[in-house]
């Protein structure tokens, strides 16, 4: 990630250009205003870095679990690693090659992880530091890796290949051993065909010297490591997918491609002890069951009390077409089939002991699905699932928009959590989440953060994002407002998008008043209030609107347009608002063009609204002359004025959600003309609307499709599409404020800033009469023009402080009138302007190409900065950081930039990432205090910071994966097993695989690549008291182990000496009295 700082180079140029532009265009006094503002933000306050990644790992491919550290690792098809511990402990790493992770192996309780990739490389990750790093890598050049196995407490890693050979790697030095198991030595000499790739490797739980090797063709070999030969060979006709041992090491189970499980006794290789088809239909005549789908994996786990567990995936019969993926749990005589929502990638049975030669005592199964992670409790009847503490449901429905709010009111998160906790209906396991390793980071950030995501199914989720964590607070389903289409004909004739008609296009939220306004792809707007009390709304209030502007974007409306001015109506039910001449919806397309009907039908039955966000008003644009309404491109709500405003390619509309009326609708061209706004009086809500035509072209599309709206996909260069763009000016941005609508004004008044896709910024004056009377709006005209569409607008006071829109504090709409009056006090954005000088305010305007600062009310341009010439800005926000303000921009060429305010000096310019798809453009957003985020994949949110202070504190904020934990004691061999040698047999692998015993491996087979830091670097990186304690404990453990081994050797030598002394004494007594010739 290349970073360059051009501040020092351009300081003089910026000052010169600023002074020249001021002297050329500014009124007297503007230079004095700019001199008064002291800018505190400098380039050294900015640095860009990623902080944390949330969500489900995209396209998972493998999984591993450390049963002592209680850490879960997930690898993906794009080379990513995600590590999970207790709630809040998450970590993201990435292999540079981007190759798929085919297998993961923990060095149990060692704080290390081995990953095997599809590019035939293996890597050793150090997990003893907060940001894991690769210590060693080994790249195979002549063989493809297919399977890896690392025995517990061993430093020798077995690697199986596509050719059927097995190589052995020392994980401490990452060097190859000269010991190789060749496929032609393992199989029988009489076999004429190649056995295929190695699909399984494991050592006998009771004898480390015996290695079980499974080949794809169906041959299993028990290899004697010391004798370097095959002890036994087990043959079956069907291909093998997995193998699992019984903990006593006398039996193993294989899963096959025909849906069978074969059980073998290691001493009887000629015939399997048992063959079962768990899901096969058993014929009555005793014939072989019908073949089933392959059993992709099987695990065999024993318990001290009761029957063993056999867990398997796949194996369903072929007649279950369309059935979802299943996990089968066989326990004794019972077989339970658990249906999953998505295909199974992998599963692991979690057990109490890490030792393979002890009773396993399984307690849970972790199932990795293509789009979910499920944990099943094996200890409770019915196998309930555990409640997942990770934020893995971001993609439950595709994300279509995203907003990020930092430093919210402190009472917001508890309020949202309170109403959201009532939505959990599923009965989860009563036990705690078993993946409980790691420690939370000691973050210094204490301010509340909230992320809001809009989804394709019309749902909206509120997330608590404080302190680098993510937890869902509350889910709102906007689709409940509408009737569901009951038939295909009805759906085809009313909805303008084939899929996801309720998808969220954009949203506007006021954290202080808790007012929420959302716009959907079906040209609908819904206003919500927050209430802690449940209500049943008998009638949903709906406003429908339509309009026609003759001549498209003609600047002169003409006299013929007066009768076609927009009208609106609010009705108590959708049926009342329809014109009496309109036939049923289903027959509309055959009898004539659809006209005067909305895309969706508001439900007519009473709606029970739970505590949380409750519908206040529904606004729908209607079809006109057989053409659908244009999608809504911009949206804003203001609780202080009780207004919601939205715009599209036709113009803008202002609605009063308190009076439930539409106050104003204007075409984009009318904003430029001084037409009399008083003709647009609010009509009676019950009045029948006048039908009118419209000049509409493009059908709106769901945000989930690739060709989304033309806001981002249109060409920014001079091309054919630019002609179309010039003819279709749309509203792109709104900003409520209290400013000076006219140059002659001396007192601030409520205003609305309007920005268009052609770079024009206009001011609309809002008349706010006391007593809640009907309000009027007056367009003042064009204020300033920029290159490119307007993205964001804001106001600064004379001291450079941000002037946020005024708001009304939240009150419960269902509370008593006394409580409402206590809290309903409008809070202005700022005290009335009383500064000396002609320009007490600055308007900050940012477009796709440039930024400008304009003095108000003189409307004099003070500063101007060209952000990009060759690209365009996708997202821009005016944000607060370090007690000052700046503009943060994200460009389509991947650059992230910040500009000072008001002088627009470049403070940061980093080439972060190129725009790879529309998802990033649609979801990238900046927030205050140096925070930003975007959807890096369909299932994951990537958070980043552009604050130097946050980057410096990142190490403290991140969680720790490795914690010092003592390894459980090995199982007791028992008296008789120790006496007769029936316990586990150990193997000195060092003598067998080391260079002295096995020789050197071929140098051309694999290349060793050292990591970014060796062991010394790793020890230095694992800073802090916890790291020191961990190293001290490990050193003590190693020393104690060596002392124990020394004591055992000493005892053995003493025993040997005693035995020798006894034998010598017996010999002396035997030959004591015999002559030499008698010997």
């Amino acid at each position: 990630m290349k970073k360059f700082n051009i501040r020092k180079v351009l300081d003089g140029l910026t000052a010169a250009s600023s002074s020249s532009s001021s002297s050329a265009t500014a009124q007297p006094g503007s230079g004095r205003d700019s001199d008064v503002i002291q800018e505190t933000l400098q380039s050294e306050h900015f640095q860009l870095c990623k902080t944390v990644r949330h969500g489900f790992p995209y396209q998972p491919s493998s999984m591993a679990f450390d049963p002592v550290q209680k850490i879960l690792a997930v690898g993906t098809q794009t080379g990513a690693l995600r590590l999970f511990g207790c709630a809040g402990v998450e970590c993201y790493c990435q292999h540079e090659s981007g190759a798929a992770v085919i297998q993961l192996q923990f060095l149990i309780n060692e704080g290390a992880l081995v990953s095997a990739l599809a590019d035939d490389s293996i890597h050793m990750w150090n997990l003893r530091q907060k940001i894991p790093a690769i210590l060693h890598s080994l790249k195979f050049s002549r063989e493809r890796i297919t399977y890896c196995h690392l025995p517990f407490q061993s430093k020798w890693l077995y690697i199986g290949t596509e050719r059927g050979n097995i190589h052995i790697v020392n994980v401490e030095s990452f060097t190859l051993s000269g010991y190789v198991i060749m496929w032609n030595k393992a199989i029988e000499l009489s076999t004429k065909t190649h056995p295929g790739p190695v699909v399984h490797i494991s050592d006998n739980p009771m004898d480390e010297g015996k290695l079980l090797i499974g080949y794809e063709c169906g041959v299993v070999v028990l290899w004697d490591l010391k004798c370097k030969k095959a002890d036994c060979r087990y043959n079956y006709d069907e291909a093998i997918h997995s193998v699992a041992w019984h903990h006593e090491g006398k039996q193993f189970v294989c899963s096959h491609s025909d849906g069978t499980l074969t059980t073998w006794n290691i001493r009887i290789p000629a015939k399997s002890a048992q063959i079962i088809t768990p899901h096969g239909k058993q014929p009555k005549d005793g014939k072989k069951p019908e073949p089933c789908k392959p059993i992709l994996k099987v695990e065999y786990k024993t318990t001290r009390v009761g029957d063993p567990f056999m867990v398997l995936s796949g194996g369903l019969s072929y007649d279950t077409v369309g059935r979802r993926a299943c996990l089968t749990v066989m326990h004794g005589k019972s077989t339970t089939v658990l249906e999953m929502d998505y295909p199974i990638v992998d599963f692991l049975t979690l057990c109490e002991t890490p030792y393979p030669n002890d009773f396993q005592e399984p307690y849970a199964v972790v199932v990795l699905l293509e789009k979910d992670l499920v944990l099943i409790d094996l200890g409770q009847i019915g196998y309930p699932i555990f409640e997942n503490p990770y934020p893995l449901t971001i993609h439950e429905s595709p994300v279509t928009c995203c907003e990020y709010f930092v430093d919210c009111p402190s009472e917001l998160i508890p309020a949202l959590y309170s109403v959201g906790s009532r939505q959990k209906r599923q009965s989860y396991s009563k036990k705690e989440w078993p993946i409980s390793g790691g420690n939370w980071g000691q973050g210094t950030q204490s301010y509340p953060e909230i992320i809001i995501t809009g989804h394709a199914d019309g749902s909206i989720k509120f997330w608590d994002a404080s302190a680098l964590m993510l937890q869902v607070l509350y889910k709102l389903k906007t689709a409940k407002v509408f009737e569901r289409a009951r038939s295909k004909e009805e759906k085809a004739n009313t909805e303008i998008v084939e899929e996801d008609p309720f998808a969220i296009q954009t949203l506007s939220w006021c954290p202080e008043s808790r007012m929420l306004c959302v716009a959907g792809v079906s040209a609908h707007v819904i206003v919500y209030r927050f209430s802690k009390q449940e209500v049943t709304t008998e009638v949903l209030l709906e406003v429908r609107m339509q309009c026609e502007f003759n001549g498209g974007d003609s600047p002169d409306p003409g006299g013929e347009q007066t009768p076609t001015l927009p009208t609106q109506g609010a009705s108590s039910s959708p049926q009342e608002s329809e014109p009496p001449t309109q036939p049923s919806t289903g027959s509309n397309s055959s009898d004539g063009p659809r006209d005067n009907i909305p895309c969706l039908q508001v439900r007519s039955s009473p709606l029970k609204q739970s505590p949380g966000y409750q519908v206040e008003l529904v606004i729908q644009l209607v079809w006109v002359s057989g053409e659908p309404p244009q999608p809504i491109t911009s949206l804003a709500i203001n609780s202080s004025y009780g207004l919601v405003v939205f715009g599209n390619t036709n113009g803008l509309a202002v609605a009063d959600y308190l009076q439930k009326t539409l106050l104003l609708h204007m075409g984009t061209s009318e904003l430029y003309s001084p037409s009399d706004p008083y003709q647009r009086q609010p009509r009676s809500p019950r009045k029948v609307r006048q039908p009118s035509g419209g000049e509409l072209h493009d059908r709106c599309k769901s945000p989930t499709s690739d060709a989304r709206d033309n806001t981002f996909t249109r060409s920014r260069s001079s091309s054919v599409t630019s002609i179309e763009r010039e003819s279709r000016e749309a509203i792109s941005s709104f900003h409520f404020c209290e400013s000076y609508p006219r140059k002659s004004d001396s007192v601030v008044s409520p205003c609305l800033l309007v920005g268009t896709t052609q770079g024009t910024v206009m001011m609309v004056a809002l008349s706010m009469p006391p007593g809640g009377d009907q309000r009027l709006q007056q367009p003042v005209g064009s204020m300033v023009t920029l290159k490119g569409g307007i993205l964001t607008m804001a106001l600064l006071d004379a001291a450079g402080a941000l002037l946020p829109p005024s708001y009304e504090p939240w009150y419960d709409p269902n509370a008593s009138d006394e409580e409402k009056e206590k809290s309903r006090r409008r809070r202005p954005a700022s005290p009335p302007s009383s500064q000396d000088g002609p320009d007490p305010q600055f308007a900050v305007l940012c477009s796709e190409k440039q930024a400008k600062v304009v003095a108000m009310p003189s409307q004099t341009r003070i500063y101007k900065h060209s952000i990009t010439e060759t690209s365009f800005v996708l997202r821009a926000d005016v944000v607060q950081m370090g007690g000052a303000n700046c503009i943060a921009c994200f460009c389509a060429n991947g650059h992230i930039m910040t500009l000072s305010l008001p002088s627009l000096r470049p403070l940061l310019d980093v080439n972060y990432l190129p725009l790879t798809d529309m998802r990033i453009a649609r979801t990238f957003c900046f927030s205050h205090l140096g925070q930003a985020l975007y959807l890096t994949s369909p299932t994951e949110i990537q958070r980043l910071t552009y604050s130097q202070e946050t980057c410096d504190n990142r190490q403290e904020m991140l969680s720790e994966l490795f914690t010092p934990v003592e390894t459980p004691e090995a199982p007791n061999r028992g008296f008789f097993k120790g006496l007769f040698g029936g316990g586990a047999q150990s193997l000195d692998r060092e003598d067998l695989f080391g260079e002295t015993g096995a020789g050197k491996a071929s140098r051309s087979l694999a290349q060793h690549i050292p990591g970014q830091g060796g062991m010394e670097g790793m020890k230095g990186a694992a800073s802090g008291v916890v790291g020191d304690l961990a190293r001290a404990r490990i050193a003590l453990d190693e020393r104690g182990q060596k002392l124990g081994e020394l004591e055992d050797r000493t005892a053995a030598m003493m025993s040997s000496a005693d035995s020798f002394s006894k034998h010598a004494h017996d010999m002396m007594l035997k030959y004591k009295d015999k002559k030499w010739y008698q010997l």
Side-chain angles (χ1 to χ4, degrees):
M1 186 166 63
K2 185 180 177 183
K3 176 179 178 181
F4 59 95
N5 185 353
I6 60 173
R7 171 181 167 263
K8 295 180 180 178
V9 179
L10 293 182
D11 265 352
L13 295 175
T14 305
S17 62
S18 301
S19 60
S20 63
S21 64
S22 298
S23 61
T25 60
Q27 294 179 352
S30 61
R32 183 187 56 77
D33 286 335
S34 61
D35 292 338
V36 170
I37 300 176
Q38 298 294 325
E39 296 182 3
T40 58
L41 286 179
Q42 303 297 330
S43 296
E44 53 265 25
H45 295 140
F46 294 88
Q47 182 183 345
L48 194 69
C49 66
K50 296 179 180 178
T51 50
V52 68
R53 182 173 292 201
H54 301 295
F56 182 78
Y58 183 56
Q59 295 180 332
S61 57
S62 57
M63 178 173 58
F65 181 69
D66 187 327
V68 179
Q69 286 289 319
K70 308 283 188 187
I71 294 288
L72 182 75
V74 177
T76 74
Q77 295 180 24
T78 55
L81 273 182
R82 294 286 300 277
L83 296 122
F84 298 94
C86 61
V89 175
E90 294 183 50
C91 184
Y92 162 75
C93 317
Q94 177 69 46
H95 293 91
E96 287 186 7
S97 67
V101 181
I102 58 174
Q103 200 171 350
L104 296 170
Q105 290 271 308
F106 272 104
L107 277 68
I108 295 175
N109 205 27
E110 298 277 340
L113 176 72
V114 175
S115 58
L117 271 58
D119 64 352
D120 308 310
S121 62
I122 57 173
H123 307 268
M124 169 70 77
W125 289 86
N126 168 37
L127 308 182
R128 293 186 179 228
Q129 55 197 62
K130 290 191 172 183
I131 304 175
I134 292 178
L135 295 175
H136 301 281
S137 296
L138 201 62
K139 181 75 166 66
F140 282 76
S141 56
R142 294 190 301 181
E143 299 209 45
R144 307 294 312 268
I145 298 173
T146 56
Y147 196 87
C148 299
H149 170 63
L150 181 64
F152 178 46
Q153 294 181 329
S154 168
K155 67 176 183 179
W156 298 97
L157 173 70
Y158 301 102
I159 297 180
T161 68
E162 195 173 45
R163 291 185 182 179
N165 305 323
I166 293 178
H167 302 277
I168 301 167
V169 175
N170 185 326
V171 295
E172 290 181 351
S173 60
F174 248 54
T175 55
L176 273 171
S177 166
Y179 192 114
V180 181
I181 304 174
M182 305 299 291
W183 68 270
N184 54 354
K185 300 284 184 66
I187 65 170
E188 294 183 60
L189 296 176
S190 59
T191 306
K192 296 181 180 179
T193 58
H194 190 276
V198 175
V199 296
H200 178 82
I201 307 171
S202 62
D203 47 353
N204 188 318
M206 285 295 181
D207 189 350
E208 295 176 354
K210 301 295 175 64
L211 196 68
L212 197 68
I213 307 166
Y215 292 96
E216 190 180 59
C217 69
V219 175
V220 178
V221 178
L222 188 64
W223 181 264
D224 190 318
L225 291 169
K226 288 183 180 179
C227 300
K228 299 183 180 180
K229 66 180 184 67
D231 260 8
C232 300
R233 298 180 180 91
Y234 314 86
N235 293 282
Y236 191 70
D237 295 337
E238 297 292 336
I240 290 176
H241 285 278
S242 70
V243 183
W245 278 101
H246 187 282
H247 84 276
E248 291 179 347
K250 297 176 182 178
Q251 282 188 337
F252 62 88
V253 178
C254 301
S255 70
H256 298 276
S257 58
D258 63 346
T260 58
L261 295 173
T262 57
T263 304
W264 302 82
N265 292 323
I266 60 169
R267 296 183 180 178
I268 311 174
K271 185 180 179 182
S272 61
Q274 187 183 33
I275 302 176
I276 60 170
T277 309
H279 297 288
K281 296 179 181 178
Q282 299 291 338
K284 295 181 180 179
D285 53 4
K287 293 181 180 180
K288 190 177 179 180
E290 295 179 4
C292 295
K293 297 175 184 177
I295 296 178
L296 301 177
K297 186 175 182 180
V298 63
E299 291 202 343
Y300 192 14
K301 303 298 180 183
T302 55
T303 58
R304 294 184 186 278
V305 180
D307 298 311
F309 284 87
M310 199 174 287
V311 185
L312 54 103
S313 63
L316 296 178
S317 60
Y318 280 101
D319 59 2
T320 56
V321 179
R323 186 172 180 179
R324 292 187 294 182
C326 295
L327 188 81
T328 305
V329 180
M330 302 170 66
H331 184 220
K333 295 181 179 180
S334 69
T335 300
T336 306
V337 179
L338 304 171
E339 281 196 352
M340 302 291 155
D341 291 334
Y342 306 101
I344 297 173
V345 176
D346 195 6
F347 74 88
L348 294 170
T349 308
L350 308 188
C351 303
E352 296 288 354
T353 177
Y355 294 94
N357 58 356
D358 194 10
F359 287 98
Q360 298 298 286
E361 303 294 345
Y363 59 88
V365 180
V366 54
V367 189
L368 179 64
L369 307 176
E370 281 189 1
K371 294 184 179 181
D372 202 1
L373 183 73
V374 178
L375 249 78
I376 299 164
D377 186 356
L378 294 178
Q380 292 189 31
I381 299 173
Y383 303 134
I385 65 172
F386 290 88
E387 185 176 3
N388 200 321
Y390 311 133
L392 302 183
T393 58
I394 294 171
H395 63 285
E396 190 175 23
S397 175
V399 177
T400 54
C401 70
C402 188
E403 294 294 337
Y404 190 12
F405 299 87
V406 170
D407 205 10
C408 303
S410 58
E411 67 276 2
L412 251 181
I413 290 178
L416 289 167
Y417 180 80
S418 175
V419 295
S421 59
R422 308 179 192 181
Q423 296 177 327
K424 298 177 182 178
R425 297 176 181 174
Q426 188 170 355
S427 56
Y428 295 103
S429 169
K430 297 178 182 178
K431 298 178 183 176
E432 292 186 1
W433 182 254
I435 304 169
S436 55
N439 286 323
W440 280 5
Q442 302 298 317
T444 55
Q445 296 178 353
S446 58
Y447 45 82
E449 301 174 65
I450 292 178
I451 296 172
I452 305 179
T453 54
H455 299 264
D457 63 353
S459 61
I460 295 172
K461 290 182 180 178
F462 292 78
W463 305 83
D464 178 7
S466 309
L468 292 189
M469 289 182 61
L470 193 68
Q471 183 182 14
V472 67
L473 292 170
Y474 173 71
K475 181 179 178 180
L476 172 66
K477 296 180 180 179
T478 63
K480 285 185 176 180
V481 177
F482 303 103
E483 301 279 5
R484 295 278 182 175
R486 299 177 183 177
S487 63
K488 292 183 179 179
E489 292 79 10
E490 183 181 353
K491 189 171 185 177
N493 282 282
T494 58
E495 296 176 1
I496 56 176
V497 284
E498 295 179 1
E499 296 180 359
D500 307 322
F502 309 109
I504 306 299
Q505 186 100 349
T506 183
L507 59 88
S508 176
W509 187 53
C510 175
E512 289 79 13
S513 66
R514 306 184 191 177
M515 291 298 300
L516 173 68
C517 187
V518 299
V521 295
S522 297
H524 61 276
V525 175
I526 311 176
V527 180
Y528 287 92
R529 280 187 185 274
F530 186 86
S531 174
K532 294 182 179 180
Q533 301 179 23
E534 182 179 292
V535 295
T536 299
T537 306
E538 298 293 334
V539 173
L540 287 176
L541 287 169
E542 180 191 14
V543 171
R544 296 182 183 178
M545 56 172 289
Q546 59 181 339
C547 64
E548 175 190 10
F549 297 102
N550 293 331
D553 289 306
S554 171
D556 182 15
E560 295 294 323
Q561 195 173 1
T562 307
T564 64
L565 285 173
T567 57
Q568 72 287 332
S571 64
S572 58
S573 69
Q575 287 75 14
E576 289 183 33
S577 65
E578 293 175 0
T581 57
Q582 180 183 328
S584 65
T585 309
S587 62
N588 211 28
S589 60
S590 58
D591 295 344
R594 280 161 285 187
D595 194 20
N596 210 31
I597 61 169
C599 304
L600 302 171
Q601 290 289 343
V602 174
R603 63 182 293 165
S604 55
S605 56
L607 177 63
K608 181 181 178 182
Q609 303 201 73
S610 303
Y613 275 99
Q614 299 170 353
V615 181
E616 180 82 0
L617 179 65
V618 181
I619 305 170
Q620 290 203 83
L621 307 186
V622 297
W623 288 68
V624 178
S625 301
E627 290 290 340
Q630 290 294 292
I632 293 166
T633 56
S634 54
L635 179 72
I637 191 169
N638 186 281
S639 58
S640 180
Y641 310 146
L643 298 178
V644 59
V645 57
F646 56 94
N648 59 11
T649 54
N650 287 341
L652 66 86
V654 181
D656 183 338
Y657 64 79
L658 297 175
Q659 299 181 24
K660 309 296 187 296
T661 55
L662 187 66
L663 297 179
L664 176 71
H665 184 288
M666 298 188 69
T668 312
S669 60
E670 286 188 280
L671 289 169
Y672 293 97
S673 63
S675 57
D676 185 7
Y678 298 98
Q679 296 176 4
R680 296 170 179 83
Q681 298 279 349
R683 312 277 181 117
S684 166
R686 299 285 181 180
K687 210 164 208 176
V688 178
R689 296 165 313 286
Q690 300 173 0
S692 56
E695 190 172 327
L696 303 141
H697 300 289
D698 302 325
R699 292 171 65 87
C700 72
K701 296 180 175 62
S702 165
T704 55
S705 63
D706 288 333
R708 294 188 166 68
D709 62 74
N710 58 3
T711 308
F712 301 124
T713 56
R714 64 179 182 275
S715 170
R716 266 71 177 184
S717 61
S718 56
S719 62
V720 177
T721 53
S722 65
I723 301 172
E724 180 184 349
R725 176 176 176 266
E726 290 295 323
S727 63
R728 304 285 302 179
E729 184 174 15
I731 306 299
S732 60
S733 181
F734 292 115
H735 182 71
F736 284 101
C737 59
E738 295 193 354
S739 187
Y740 306 90
R742 300 166 189 83
K743 294 183 179 181
S744 58
D745 288 344
S746 59
V747 180
V748 296
S749 60
C751 301
L752 174 67
L753 283 172
V754 181
T756 73
T757 54
Q758 290 190 13
T760 304
V761 178
M762 291 159 280
M763 184 84 81
V764 176
L766 304 175
S767 175
M768 304 292 294
D773 297 334
Q774 292 180 343
R775 284 92 55 92
L776 302 173
Q777 285 73 37
Q778 180 177 357
V780 178
S782 174
M783 189 174 80
V784 69
T785 303
L786 286 77
K787 290 182 182 178
I790 303 299
L791 297 178
T792 189
M793 301 174 286
L795 279 187
L796 305 179
D797 64 12
L802 193 64
L803 295 173
S806 59
Y807 62 87
E808 183 181 62
W810 175 78
Y811 66 92
D812 197 323
N814 300 317
S816 62
D817 293 337
E818 293 181 4
E819 293 180 5
K820 288 182 184 179
E821 290 302 321
K822 286 180 183 178
S823 57
R824 287 193 67 177
R825 294 189 306 274
R826 175 176 168 270
R827 295 186 184 178
S830 63
S833 299
S834 58
Q835 293 93 339
D836 296 330
D839 295 317
Q841 284 186 352
F842 298 99
V844 180
L845 314 170
C846 186
S847 74
E848 296 168 326
K849 291 287 188 180
Q850 59 183 193
K852 288 184 180 180
V853 174
V854 178
M856 300 295 289
S858 67
Q859 299 185 11
T860 306
R861 190 191 74 192
I862 303 297
Y863 294 101
K864 173 185 173 182
H865 177 75
S866 178
I867 300 172
T868 176
E869 293 292 341
T870 58
S871 184
F872 55 92
V873 180
L874 288 166
R875 177 76 185 228
D877 290 289
V878 177
V879 293
Q880 294 176 316
M881 199 183 89
N885 306 300
C886 64
I887 301 177
C889 306
F890 172 58
C891 290
N893 60 8
H895 283 252
I896 291 179
M897 295 175 279
T898 59
L899 305 172
S900 69
L901 285 176
S903 68
L904 301 179
R905 285 181 300 112
L907 298 173
L908 174 76
D909 190 340
V910 178
N911 188 1
Y912 177 66
L913 87 165
L915 177 61
T916 53
D917 54 35
M918 290 304 302
R919 177 183 58 256
I920 298 175
R922 196 175 60 250
T923 58
F924 200 105
C925 49
F926 295 98
S927 194
H928 298 306
L929 306 178
Q931 306 295 329
L933 63 81
Y934 63 95
L935 244 73
T936 183
S937 74
T939 63
E940 296 166 291
I941 287 177
Q942 178 66 58
R943 292 167 68 178
L944 57 147
T945 181
Y946 48 95
S947 162
Q948 177 69 54
E949 182 183 2
T950 307
C951 289
D952 293 341
N953 297 328
R954 185 169 66 135
Q955 278 283 349
E956 296 178 13
M957 295 156 58
L958 295 175
S959 54
E960 290 181 334
L961 289 168
F962 180 80
T963 53
V965 179
E966 290 188 8
T967 303
E969 291 186 5
N972 191 357
R973 295 173 64 184
F975 175 75
F976 290 105
K977 286 187 178 180
L979 186 64
F980 298 108
Q985 302 296 315
S986 61
L987 173 71
D988 191 344
R989 294 187 177 95
E990 186 66 39
D991 289 344
L992 199 58
F993 303 145
E995 191 172 321
T996 55
K1000 292 185 177 180
S1002 171
R1003 290 185 178 181
S1004 62
L1005 182 60
Q1007 177 190 2
H1008 177 260
I1009 305 169
Q1012 298 178 359
M1015 292 299 291
E1016 295 302 320
M1018 179 269 291
K1019 289 175 183 175
S1023 59
V1025 179
V1026 174
D1028 295 336
L1029 287 174
R1031 288 193 294 274
R1033 181 180 289 275
I1034 290 166
L1036 285 173
D1037 289 345
E1038 290 175 354
R1039 185 182 177 194
Q1041 185 178 354
K1042 290 177 180 177
L1043 287 173
E1045 291 174 359
L1046 181 62
E1047 188 178 349
D1048 291 343
R1049 288 176 186 171
T1050 306
M1053 288 175 66
M1054 290 179 64
S1055 175
S1056 177
D1058 290 342
S1059 176
F1060 179 76
S1061 173
K1062 184 171 180 291
H1063 282 293
H1065 185 68
D1066 291 343
M1067 288 285 290
M1068 185 270 292
L1069 292 176
K1070 181 177 181 181
Y1071 298 107
K1072 179 181 178 183
D1073 298 327
K1074 292 189 179 183
K1075 303 294 183 181
W1076 63 270
Y1077 53 83
Q1078 293 176 328
L1079 295 177

